């Protein structure tokens, strides 16, 4: 497998310099041969029972995972709509809006991304909370409720 990978890289560099139809055909055949050899690894599942059990367990939980993701997206969407509306009403009353506020809550897409990042360690949720406290206490309470509900309830139940 390693020798075929090295040969693949060498042929790729040589083909960039000069390309003919015969060379491309040989290159494709070698690449297909390499893929077929890597598929042979699947036969190991018969011999290693722990790997087989683990793989079947993962495949068995796919439907639960899908429904959990649907539920999570509905929660993110619901909170995103409400928090975006709170911020847009506040910004509509003022001629200028806080930059941090518009960075995270300017539209529904950005709000949903910010909410997802808050629960997936992509963004500190306190950075989202601080601008909301200046706008609305209800918005701040909703963000705290969202974090509690998603991290402590939904994600911990799934894992």
């Amino acid at each position: 497998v390693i020798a075929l990978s090295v040969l693949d890289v060498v042929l790729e560099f040589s083909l960039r310099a000069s390309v003919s139809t015969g060379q491309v055909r040989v290159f494709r055949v070698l690449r297909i041969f390499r893929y077929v050899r890597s598929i042979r690894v699947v036969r190991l599942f018969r011999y290693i029972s722990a790997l087989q059990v683990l793989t079947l367990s993962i495949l068995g939980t796919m439907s639960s995972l899908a429904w959990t993701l649907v539920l999570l997206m509905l929660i993110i969407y619901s909170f995103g709509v409400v928090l975006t509306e709170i911020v847009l009403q506040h910004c509509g009353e003022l001629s200028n809006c806080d930059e941090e506020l518009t960075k995270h809550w300017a539209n529904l897409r950005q709000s949903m991304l910010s909410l997802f990042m808050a629960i997936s360690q992509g963004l500190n949720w306190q950075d989202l909370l601080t601008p909301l406290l200046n706008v609305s206490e209800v918005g701040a309470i909703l963000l705290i409720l969202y974090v509690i509900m998603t991290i402590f309830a939904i994600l911990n139940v799934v894992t």
Side-chain angles (χ1 to χ4, degrees):
V1 175
I2 294 173
L4 287 175
S5 296
V6 170
L7 182 63
D8 185 26
V9 171
V10 169
L11 284 175
E12 186 175 336
F13 284 127
S14 66
L15 286 178
R16 288 185 184 172
S18 63
V19 178
S20 71
T21 310
Q23 289 175 340
V24 171
R25 215 174 288 138
V26 169
F27 180 64
R28 285 184 183 161
V29 169
L30 286 175
R31 185 171 276 181
I32 290 171
F33 181 69
R34 187 178 72 180
Y35 292 142
V36 169
R37 286 193 63 179
S38 61
I39 291 174
R40 289 182 5 192
V41 173
V42 175
R43 290 190 298 169
L44 289 175
F45 288 131
R46 288 185 291 192
Y47 303 113
I48 304 172
S49 62
L51 183 61
Q52 186 178 17
V53 168
L54 185 62
T55 304
L56 291 175
S57 298
I58 290 172
L59 291 175
T61 60
M62 284 297 174
S63 64
S64 297
L65 176 65
W67 285 113
T68 303
L69 290 176
V70 168
L71 177 64
L72 193 59
M73 289 309 300
L74 285 172
I75 291 171
I76 290 173
Y77 176 77
S78 301
F79 278 90
V81 167
V82 172
L83 291 172
T84 303
E85 187 63 30
I86 289 171
V87 169
L88 290 179
Q89 283 181 357
H90 173 75
C91 289
E93 296 170 0
L94 302 174
S95 60
N96 60 353
C97 218
D98 183 24
E99 183 181 328
E100 283 294 315
L101 201 58
T102 57
K103 178 181 175 184
H104 299 294
W105 308 107
N107 54 38
L108 181 61
R109 184 178 56 88
Q110 191 62 38
S111 296
M112 288 178 65
L113 179 63
S114 298
L115 289 171
F116 175 74
M117 290 174 71
I119 62 169
S120 63
Q121 303 293 321
L123 186 64
N124 188 350
W125 61 273
Q126 187 176 1
D127 295 340
L128 299 174
L129 183 64
T130 304
L132 274 178
L133 279 172
N134 297 332
V135 173
S136 167
E137 289 182 10
V138 174
I141 291 171
L142 283 174
L143 181 63
I144 293 170
L145 180 66
Y146 164 78
V147 170
I148 289 171
M149 199 167 80
T150 53
I151 292 177
F152 297 126
I154 295 174
L155 295 180
N156 280 332
V157 167
V158 171
T159 59

